[in-house]
Amino acid sequence: MGSTINADIRLMGRDKVDLRDWNSTYCYFKDSKPDSVVHTAARVGGLGANLNYMGEFFYDNMLINLNVIEAARRINVNKVLSFMSTCIFPDDVDYPITEDMLHNGEPHYSNYGYAYAKRMLDVQSRAYNQQYGVQAKDNSVVFGTKYTSVIPTNIYGPNDNFELENSHVVPALIHKCYVAKRDKTPLVIWGSGKPLREFVYSEDVGRITQYLLEHYDSPDPLIISTGQEHSIEELVIAVADAMDFKGPIIYDYNKPDGQYKKTTSNERLMAVLPPDFKFTPLKEGIKQTVNWFSENYETCRK
């Protein structure tokens, strides 16, 4: 799946605009005049952050999403691809999870503030397409707003947020392992290590995003998943091996595990992507991410 986009790509970071503020968001969009928008902005965090800041996660993410989508519409952006998360799916669900199950029940109690706010990206995109886009018989948008969303599993890779307290499982674990190796202390893991998760390498997500911007106009969301599950224990071993960590690994059973599994189906995605698309294997992606973090420890987000 080769690269065909030849475009001026602008990264909108929090240092440039506060997306929770409508005036700042609209002015930035009006000045930059994007043709397409990949909306990945969010207030995110791991299990502890979601439990401790439930209300803030809901409020901030609602503001961000409402402002970004509305600002894009007002300046006539044709294509918006918004990122949700697999944690938005119902807690009580049959596996594997498919896109059609998105609104079929309550999300897990541990992150329902964040989850409900992110679900609204699908609702807002569909509502805008219905009012501001012209749809064909197959429900694709012919012209006007072509707003849709993707639902990636756990994204990881270089340039991630590696904060120990407020980052996702892979970057937090990499940082913890680095510190444990440096300080010659045990590597302590929250929970039992038994929960199952799906991980997707950031560069794979980038290639998929580019392809969907060019070739996907349906309002129906797509799950971005490798189709493979790994236990947290498998992830810990992969990180420890990549970091060459030889110390003890301790599982703290007094800490919560979170949702046990979130098994997804990537059938719809694979039907859209070219048949030769391949995902980066977990061990390879973890090794590349660990190497990047170790080389950029002094300057990366941590």
Side-chain angles (χ1 to χ4, degrees):
M1 189 166 68
S3 174
T4 60
I5 287 182
N6 182 15
D8 175 17
I9 299 175
R10 299 188 183 184
L11 301 178
M12 182 193 296
R14 67 185 66 179
D15 58 326
K16 296 180 181 178
V17 58
D18 182 356
L19 295 174
R20 298 168 299 179
D21 180 82
W22 164 247
N23 289 328
S24 297
T25 305
Y26 179 62
C27 288
Y28 186 89
F29 271 72
K30 190 170 60 173
D31 291 342
S32 57
K33 298 180 175 65
D35 296 312
S36 300
V37 172
V38 178
H39 172 27
T40 62
R43 179 171 180 181
V44 300
L47 178 59
N50 272 278
L51 287 169
N52 291 330
Y53 306 108
M54 190 73 69
E56 293 179 35
F57 270 47
F58 176 80
Y59 182 74
D60 286 351
N61 283 296
M62 285 296 297
L63 288 177
I64 290 168
N65 296 336
L66 289 169
N67 290 340
V68 168
I69 302 296
E70 175 63 7
R73 181 195 71 81
R74 290 205 188 183
I75 66 162
N76 299 315
V77 172
N78 180 250
K79 193 74 172 279
V80 177
L81 183 66
S82 299
F83 275 63
M84 296 191 286
S85 165
T86 53
C87 73
I88 66 179
F89 283 105
D91 182 30
D92 184 12
V93 67
D94 294 328
Y95 295 104
I97 296 170
T98 65
E99 292 86 350
D100 298 329
M101 299 176 182
L102 179 56
H103 300 288
N104 286 358
E106 294 261 348
H108 194 262
Y109 76 90
S110 64
N111 57 15
Y112 71 87
Y114 174 81
Y116 271 123
K118 297 301 280 186
R119 275 191 195 182
M120 290 302 103
L121 275 169
D122 175 64
V123 175
Q124 189 177 5
S125 296
R126 289 179 180 276
Y128 277 42
N129 289 338
Q130 180 174 327
Q131 181 171 352
Y132 306 114
V134 177
Q135 295 182 327
K137 290 182 179 179
D138 64 356
N139 207 31
S140 64
V141 180
V142 180
F143 62 88
T145 60
K146 298 180 181 179
Y147 295 177
T148 190
S149 51
V150 292
I151 311 168
T153 54
N154 289 277
I155 303 174
Y156 71 96
N159 293 292
D160 205 340
N161 173 15
F162 291 87
E163 291 180 19
L164 286 172
E165 300 298 329
N166 295 313
S167 61
H168 283 140
V169 58
V170 174
L173 178 57
I174 288 174
H175 193 172
K176 288 178 70 172
C177 190
Y178 181 94
V179 172
K181 179 182 178 181
R182 180 195 64 195
D183 297 347
K184 296 181 174 55
T185 57
L187 175 58
V188 180
I189 308 299
W190 272 35
S192 66
K194 299 188 183 304
L196 302 174
R197 295 291 182 267
E198 296 169 283
F199 305 99
V200 59
Y201 190 50
S202 57
E203 293 186 12
D204 296 342
V205 176
R207 291 187 292 142
I208 291 170
T209 298
Q210 176 179 320
Y211 187 84
L212 295 181
L213 282 175
E214 296 175 314
H215 301 288
Y216 189 71
D217 292 335
S218 170
D220 296 329
L222 293 171
I223 294 172
I224 298 181
S225 164
T226 64
Q228 295 184 327
E229 285 184 308
H230 301 273
S231 70
I232 296 299
E233 185 176 16
E234 286 181 78
L235 174 65
V236 170
I237 293 172
V239 169
D241 287 346
M243 191 73 71
D244 195 29
F245 175 75
K246 306 297 186 182
I249 299 174
I250 299 173
Y251 291 89
D252 185 354
Y253 285 78
N254 293 316
K255 299 294 186 180
D257 270 332
Q259 196 169 353
Y260 175 67
K261 63 186 298 184
K262 305 176 184 180
T263 312
T264 63
S265 168
N266 66 357
E267 183 175 345
R268 185 181 291 179
L269 173 70
M270 300 312 293
V272 171
L273 295 180
D276 60 345
F277 182 85
K278 302 294 182 185
F279 285 97
T280 302
L282 180 66
K283 287 185 178 181
E284 179 182 335
I286 290 295
K287 181 63 176 175
Q288 293 180 24
T289 307
V290 165
N291 289 346
W292 183 91
F293 177 75
S294 299
E295 293 168 3
N296 296 274
Y297 179 77
E298 296 300 328
T299 56
C300 70
R301 288 185 293 164
K302 62 180 184 303

